[in-house]
Amino acid sequence: MRGQVFLLALGAGVGVANVYYIQPGLHLVQQTFGADADAVGWVPTLTQVGYALGMLLLAPLGDLMDRKRLILGKALLLALALIASALAPTLAFLATAGIIVGLLSSIGQDFIPIAAQLASEEHRGRVVGTVTTGLLSGILLSRTLGGLVAQGLGWRAIYWIAVSLLLIVAVAVWRFLPHLPAATQGNYGRLLRSLAALWQQHRALRRSVSTQALLAASLGAFWSTLALMLAGPPFQLGAGVAGAFGLAGAAGALAAPLFGHLADRTGPLPAIRLGALLVMLSFGGMWLLSGSLPVLIAGTVLFDLGVMAALVSHQTIVNDLDPSARSRLNALLMTGAMFGMAAGAWAGSWAWAHYGWPGICAVGMAVGTGALARSFSR
């Protein structure tokens, strides 16, 4: 079981990483195509919109199909989309390919319901937390790898590396994961219609989705503009340094299993509220002490930790609502989170263009405050 959990965590991280590889190298993309900041901001925004749509339209298939076959099929199509991105002749082509990359990168989320299915009930929170650590580490470390590769080899090279990593994971899934039969019967149309029924049925699901969407918006605003901010004064740092900030965020991801264990013992709400508070305080500190690189690093660790603590806790909530609908419930949660992140990326690009770094921090504080208030609503 331990080896399977590691593979699930690795697969989740490698799958979702494709959404974020390009972000630290956005200023290099800008230079390649001679675009302005608003135009290049559409690349991460549309990729995250595609990811949210993938969560809504593709992730529920895990309840209707053998999850192993679903993962292998999506991996093949995703590899083709990544190759198209590497060869993109225009910014519009890259942004369009980004939608498809995002759509199929929902493969990363397919590993979490498998973890919940394979784990025993008493250890489910810890196991799901471990796989979520892989997912979140993929989100954050993808920026580190993307920044280093973009600085050393150019932004196109990261897509070729992404293809290689994805195919390695696909081979491991084919070799070591068991076939998992469908959890429900019916057709695709009925499956999608059932999402509305689940949404209406579970109030805890609605609160989890809206709260996590607000917190995810802080991720979108921060990470989609970080490279542009660091490239200007007073820092004037390159893509490699922007990507290295993913290491700071990954430090927070390591705490995800601890929050899963906490949810097993005491319930998830305390961790959710603590996470929202960390987001608020982190962006407030980065606003008040802007221009300080150590404060920026510390703020990155703390606000990423806050978002991750809430995510693991929300996943614990939704995975316990209906064992026969785990893929659909997780899909609804992550669809909300990804739409929140995409909205945050758009809001961040707009705030950066009009108000600079204070605008980014204001967005982060606002969504953290909203999430905290939502966690207390009934």
Side-chain angles (χ1 to χ4, degrees), residues 3-371:
Q4 288 180 332
V5 172
F6 174 78
L7 175 56
L8 293 173
L10 178 65
V14 169
V16 76
N18 301 289
V19 179
Y20 306 100
Y21 282 131
I22 196 61
Q23 289 185 1
L26 281 177
H27 67 288
L28 299 177
V29 176
Q30 186 177 5
Q31 293 170 8
T32 298
F33 297 115
D36 58 29
D38 282 340
V40 80
W42 281 107
V43 175
T45 299
L46 291 177
T47 302
Q48 289 175 72
V49 168
Y51 186 48
L53 291 173
M55 288 304 310
L56 182 64
L57 301 176
L58 299 183
L61 286 170
D63 287 334
L64 193 62
M65 297 176 57
D66 182 317
R67 290 190 173 110
K68 179 176 179 178
R69 292 180 179 175
L70 177 63
I71 287 172
L72 293 175
K74 288 169 75 172
L76 177 60
L77 295 175
L78 178 54
L80 296 175
L82 291 167
I83 292 171
S85 298
L87 300 174
T90 66
L91 183 63
F93 188 98
L94 180 63
T96 303
I99 297 175
I100 302 172
V101 168
L103 189 76
L104 294 167
S105 291
S106 59
I107 187 176
Q109 293 293 334
D110 293 329
F111 292 92
I112 293 175
I114 294 177
Q117 182 174 350
L118 295 179
S120 61
E121 184 175 353
E122 62 269 22
H123 298 301
R124 185 166 294 131
R126 180 177 58 82
V127 172
V128 170
T130 299
V131 177
T132 302
T133 296
L135 179 85
L136 299 173
S137 297
I139 292 173
L140 297 165
L141 294 178
S142 62
R143 298 183 174 101
T144 302
L145 179 60
L148 293 174
V149 171
Q151 183 168 291
L153 301 174
W155 62 267
R156 296 181 189 271
I158 189 58
Y159 287 113
W160 296 109
I161 293 174
V163 171
S164 301
L165 293 174
L166 181 65
L167 293 179
I168 290 171
V169 168
V171 170
V173 166
W174 172 75
R175 177 67 178 83
F176 296 110
L177 278 190
H179 286 282
L180 299 167
T184 188
Q185 301 296 319
N187 54 46
Y188 181 64
R190 184 180 301 171
L191 187 76
L192 291 185
R193 287 194 296 272
S194 71
L195 296 176
L198 291 168
W199 180 263
Q200 291 294 328
Q201 181 180 356
H202 299 292
R203 181 171 58 185
L205 172 66
R206 297 194 297 272
R207 182 168 67 175
S208 296
V209 170
S210 57
T211 304
Q212 195 62 46
L214 285 166
L215 292 173
S218 67
L219 289 174
F222 180 86
W223 289 107
S224 64
T225 57
L226 177 65
L228 301 175
M229 187 270 288
L230 289 176
F235 300 112
Q236 296 183 327
L237 299 171
V241 176
F245 268 77
L247 294 173
L254 295 177
L258 299 179
F259 288 102
H261 182 63
L262 178 65
D264 286 335
R265 297 181 58 187
T266 65
L269 280 177
I272 293 168
R273 291 164 182 164
L274 175 60
L277 188 61
L278 284 175
V279 171
M280 293 168 52
L281 295 177
S282 298
F283 278 99
M286 289 187 289
W287 188 352
L288 292 174
L289 299 174
S290 60
S292 169
L293 195 59
V295 169
L296 189 61
I297 294 171
T300 303
V301 172
L302 290 177
F303 101 82
D304 271 301
L305 174 60
V307 176
M308 294 167 191
L311 177 58
V312 172
S313 302
H314 283 135
Q315 285 178 325
T316 300
I317 291 172
V318 302
N319 274 300
D320 286 340
L321 293 176
D322 185 350
S324 67
R326 285 192 175 119
S327 286
R328 284 167 286 169
L329 291 166
N330 188 65
L332 287 169
L333 174 64
M334 296 310 299
T335 296
M338 291 307 108
F339 271 116
M341 192 176 293
W346 174 84
S349 297
W350 181 87
W352 172 256
H354 292 85
Y355 300 104
W357 182 242
I360 302 299
C361 293
V363 170
M365 292 177 65
V367 296
T369 303

